[in-house]
Amino acid sequence: MHVDCEKKELEAMKQKLKELEEEAAKLRSTQGGVPEDAEQEAAPEAGSKEEADTRSVFVNNVDWGATPEELQQHFASCGTVNRVTILTDKFGHPKVRVDHATVSGLTAFADIKAK
């Protein structure tokens, strides 16, 4: 009798798995076909990370209510901004990382800061 319960439970789990796989397939098709191996994407190369770091700057004393979009617009005068990331320190104070498209964006940023 115990074996029958386990078989029924196993069949129910198989059915649930099948339903979940079908739902995932529907979601992939509606989202434009996300590759199945998306979780296995390779990590960026160390060289590209180091190169990106040369185009990045951290900004302190940022207004608590600032959004990434507002900061991106603010730093647009320095050149193309690839990404704005708002981090917080252990006290909850915001720190902003601005990733520029070119190193010249950092030069323009330094000119703004010097004024």
Side-chain angles (χ1 to χ4, degrees), residues 32-47:
V34 176
E36 291 182 19
D37 60 350
E39 297 101 20
Q40 299 175 359
E41 289 181 5
E45 296 177 18

Side-chain angles (χ1 to χ4, degrees), residues 2 8 11 57 61 69 96:
H2 181 65
K8 287 180 183 178
E11 288 301 318
V57 65
N61 299 323
E69 294 79 18
V96 175

Side-chain angles (χ1 to χ4, degrees), residues 18-32:
K18 182 179 176 184
E19 291 170 5
L20 290 171
E21 287 174 343
E22 289 171 359
E23 185 177 342
K26 287 179 187 177
L27 286 172
R28 275 193 295 276
S29 67
T30 60
Q31 292 178 349

Side-chain angles (χ1 to χ4, degrees), residues 38-54:
E39 297 101 20
Q40 299 175 359
E41 289 181 5
E45 296 177 18
S48 64
K49 182 183 180 316
E50 290 172 3
E51 192 267 331
D53 286 346
T54 63

Side-chain angles (χ1 to χ4, degrees), residues 69-90:
E69 294 79 18
E70 292 171 335
L71 294 167
Q72 186 166 8
Q73 185 178 17
H74 177 75
F75 291 113
S77 64
C78 299
T80 304
V81 175
N82 286 344
R83 178 178 54 193
V84 174
T85 307
I86 300 177
L87 307 168
T88 55
D89 63 13
K90 65 182 179 180

